Amino acid sequence: MDLHYSEADREFRARARAWLTANVPDAPRPAHGPAAAQFDRDWQRKLFDHGWAGIAWPQEFGGLGLSGLQQVIWYEELARANAPHHINTMYVALMHAGPTLIARGTTEQKAFHLPRILNGDALWCQGFSEPNAGSDLAALKARGVIDGDSIVVNGAKMWTTDAQHADFQELLIRTGPDSERHKGLTWIICDMTTPGIEIKPIRTMMQDDHVNMVFYDDVRIPLSNVVGEVDKGWSTALATLSFERGLGFIGDQLELYERVCRAIELAENTLLENGQRAIECGSIAQRLASIKADTIAIRSMTLADIAETDRTGEPGPKGSMMKLMVTSTHKALSEVVGEIMGWDFLEFNGDRAAHPWTYDYLWSWVFSISGGTNEIQREITADRVLGLPKGR
């Protein structure tokens, strides 16, 4: 990857900055519920209508096909403009399902689903984790039985983000008779309006119903919805997870730098109980400086990760290293901001716009679990990046 900005790159940044300045919504995103989902659909539709949807998707599938460096520029400008956060109800569709379909889907699946994702018509959720198969995804039990030209699904899924708003689901089930672990799994597209699906929201510490239990009772899904091959869905699932742990977190990776800058500004304008400006407290200033250095390192790692994806077509296991570092840096920043703000940091009513720092702190704990826990990321790094022997 050429890290020097070309004239085209500089022109692209100026164009992106000007458009975002003129089009970022004035009203904050609703905290949760149907209004939040509609806000996300509307923002995605605006991006689509103005030619900014699918920045990483190939042009042949309706995307912009931007270079890796221009993707970085776009996310930097999103963070600078404080534009709607990319991790919203459109996230699974844009960062999971879409890229997975591009890489592994049939011509018919791509033709039907990709335009609906890009224009905001279709929201997706992920049906991977189960009550006893979260970090150990290969232990999943939800079963699908082939019956004619359909797969009949029974079982349950856990922590299903935004299932109550989703139109479709990327669903991983066990179809191989008597299969265990990674064998006999199938990745299938599930229409969330199919009879037999029951969704039960789970109230979180962020005072929303962001995650859900989903139950399947003889849910009949067409075999034509299988992505990849029946009983060979683990390979497809790994592709999905690689997008999530790699390119799916670019926005978070690059937004961290802007958060640090805002935290430094907060420290410059906040008085501690002793009357001292927070930035004049040696330990706070030192921690902010260290975190800022980490965000600069994260940007460099992001560029390297994108360069690898440009070469290979799919993100590699190094994305786990990225997610681990972003998670720890995110949490460290939230903790120092809590020290700066004092008791005000503890005020939270579920409204992210009113209490952004507190929301980010709560989200930092979610982030250390979602997409694979920190422990799983370390295991993937040890196994697939460093090639260390497996522990007993």
Side-chain angles (χ1 to χ4, degrees):
M1 175 184 288
D2 184 357
L3 298 183
H4 293 90
Y5 291 120
S6 66
E7 183 61 33
D9 292 331
R10 289 190 287 270
E11 186 277 332
F12 174 77
R13 184 184 293 277
R15 187 160 53 88
R17 181 174 297 184
W19 187 86
L20 287 166
T21 299
N23 288 279
V24 168
D26 295 327
R29 179 182 185 269
H32 46 76
Q38 188 59 51
F39 180 96
D40 298 339
R41 289 182 190 268
D42 292 343
W43 174 243
Q44 181 62 29
R45 184 73 196 200
K46 176 174 279 192
L47 291 172
F48 177 81
D49 288 342
H50 290 260
W52 293 104
I55 63 165
W57 290 23
Q59 291 182 349
E60 63 184 294
F61 299 113
L64 298 183
L66 297 183
S67 68
L69 190 55
Q70 287 183 333
Q71 291 178 52
V72 169
I73 291 171
W74 170 252
Y75 281 112
E76 286 177 336
E77 291 304 316
L78 276 180
R80 180 183 180 277
N82 200 23
H85 199 272
H86 80 289
I87 294 188
N88 53 31
T89 54
M90 288 297 307
Y91 175 78
V92 172
L94 289 167
M95 301 298 188
H96 285 202
T100 302
L101 291 175
I102 289 171
R104 304 294 179 90
T106 65
T107 300
E108 293 75 18
Q109 289 167 350
K110 294 173 185 176
F112 181 85
H113 289 287
L114 295 182
R116 289 167 172 80
I117 291 173
L118 282 182
N119 67 19
D121 281 349
L123 302 182
W124 284 62
C125 62
Q126 185 182 57
F128 279 22
S129 297
E130 296 181 6
N132 294 308
S135 296
D136 186 11
L137 183 58
L140 67 84
K141 300 295 184 184
R143 183 163 293 279
V145 177
I146 297 178
D147 180 20
D149 59 358
S150 299
I151 294 180
V152 181
V153 178
N154 286 278
K157 292 293 179 179
M158 185 76 166
W159 310 122
T160 312
T161 303
D162 294 319
Q164 70 273 52
H165 307 305
D167 303 292
F168 297 96
Q169 180 182 61
E170 47 186 35
L171 179 60
L172 192 62
I173 52 176
R174 189 167 297 282
T175 48
D178 303 319
S179 66
E180 295 182 354
R181 305 299 297 164
H182 308 95
K183 297 180 179 179
L185 302 179
T186 298
W187 198 111
I188 192 167
I189 301 167
C190 177
D191 184 333
M192 293 300 285
T193 64
T194 306
I197 295 177
E198 181 182 7
I199 301 171
K200 292 189 175 181
I202 300 171
R203 194 75 169 172
T204 72
M205 63 182 176
M206 289 179 284
Q207 301 183 34
D208 61 20
D209 299 328
H210 188 55
V211 295
N212 305 267
M213 282 287 298
V214 182
F215 299 92
Y216 309 81
D217 183 10
D218 288 337
V219 176
R220 186 172 289 272
I221 304 174
L223 269 172
S224 58
N225 284 15
V226 171
V227 178
E229 298 180 53
V230 173
D231 293 343
K232 296 182 179 180
W234 184 250
S235 174
T236 308
L238 286 181
T240 303
L241 294 173
S242 70
F243 289 119
E244 178 182 48
R245 293 165 183 166
L247 300 181
F249 289 117
I250 288 180
D252 269 305
Q253 294 160 18
L254 299 174
E255 189 181 35
L256 267 175
Y257 179 82
E258 292 295 333
R259 288 182 186 172
V260 173
C261 292
R262 290 196 288 270
I264 292 172
E265 183 179 355
L266 177 70
E268 291 173 342
N269 294 289
T270 301
L271 296 179
L272 302 177
E273 289 184 355
N274 62 6
Q276 180 186 39
R277 288 194 308 149
I279 198 65
E280 295 170 350
C281 173
S283 65
I284 289 177
Q286 184 177 27
R287 287 155 66 193
L288 285 172
S290 177
I291 293 169
K292 185 173 182 178
D294 285 343
T295 64
I296 294 171
I298 286 171
R299 183 181 186 275
S300 298
M301 293 173 67
T302 299
L303 290 170
D305 199 37
I306 289 177
E308 181 175 346
T309 302
D310 284 346
R311 290 195 303 271
T312 64
E314 289 187 10
K318 292 180 182 178
S320 289
M321 297 170 58
M322 288 294 304
K323 184 178 184 299
L324 189 59
M325 186 168 182
V326 171
T327 297
S328 61
T329 305
H330 189 164
K331 188 171 292 184
L333 178 60
S334 294
E335 289 172 353
V336 72
V337 167
E339 186 172 332
I340 293 169
M341 294 180 63
W343 288 106
D344 290 343
F345 186 73
L346 299 179
E347 294 185 7
F348 185 66
N349 62 359
D351 187 347
R352 179 182 181 179
H355 307 281
W357 289 113
T358 310
Y359 182 94
D360 284 347
Y361 172 71
L362 295 174
W363 178 253
S364 72
W365 291 93
V366 176
F367 197 44
S368 67
I369 298 173
S370 65
T373 64
N374 287 354
E375 290 75 17
I376 290 296
Q377 307 305 333
R378 291 188 181 97
E379 183 175 329
I380 293 172
T381 299
D383 180 28
R384 300 177 60 196
V385 178
L386 301 178
L388 300 179
K390 293 182 179 294
R392 294 183 178 179

